[in-house]
Every structure is written in structure tokens, then in C-alpha cells.
Amino acid sequence: MDYTTNYNLGKPEDGARNAGQAMNGNMDIIDAALQTLHDYMIGISSSSSSSSSSSSSSSSSSSSSSSS
């Protein structure tokens, strides 16, 4: 069986009897990669929203002190 370069997904030969097993293994690899990407994106989303709120608070406090 040949494998893909990036994710090492199985590429069964035409008419191979174990094509279903290869597909199941490929789905597990794809599922794990998507979960990793999802977790990474959630982390970016959470950190950007918390940094946005903290930067807007510091902006409002610095503008308040400037006007005094």
C-alpha cells in the first residue's frame, strides 16, 4: 500500500480487499487532525477576545487619565 506524503493516509491498490480497513484508519487520522485544528482555533478565538477586552479597558482608562 502507498501512503500520502503529508498525513500518511493509506492509498489501497485498486480492488484491494483491505480497502475498508485503510479507509477506517484514514478517517481516524483525519478526525484527529481536525480536532487538533478545532482546538487550536478555539484557543486563538478565546485569546483574541480576551485581549480585545483588556486592550479596550486599558484604552478607556488611559483616555480618562489624559483628560484629567
Side-chain angles (χ1 to χ4, degrees):
M1 179 181 313
D2 289 334
Y3 294 89
T4 62
T5 304
N6 297 313
Y7 287 99
N8 203 33
L9 302 175
K11 296 175 8 180
E13 302 295 325
D14 288 337
R17 293 179 183 249
N18 66 346
Q21 290 173 336
M23 290 299 294
N24 287 340
N26 289 343
M27 293 301 163
D28 290 340
I29 293 168
I30 293 168
D31 183 68
L34 287 172
Q35 185 62 49
T36 300
L37 179 62
H38 174 265
D39 293 345
Y40 175 75
M41 295 304 290
I42 293 297
I44 288 176
S45 175
S46 297
S47 65
S48 68
S49 64
S50 64
S51 67
S52 295
S53 63
S54 65
S55 66
S56 64
S57 322
S58 63
S59 296
S60 62
S61 65
S62 64
S63 63
S64 298
S65 61
S66 301
S67 62
S68 304

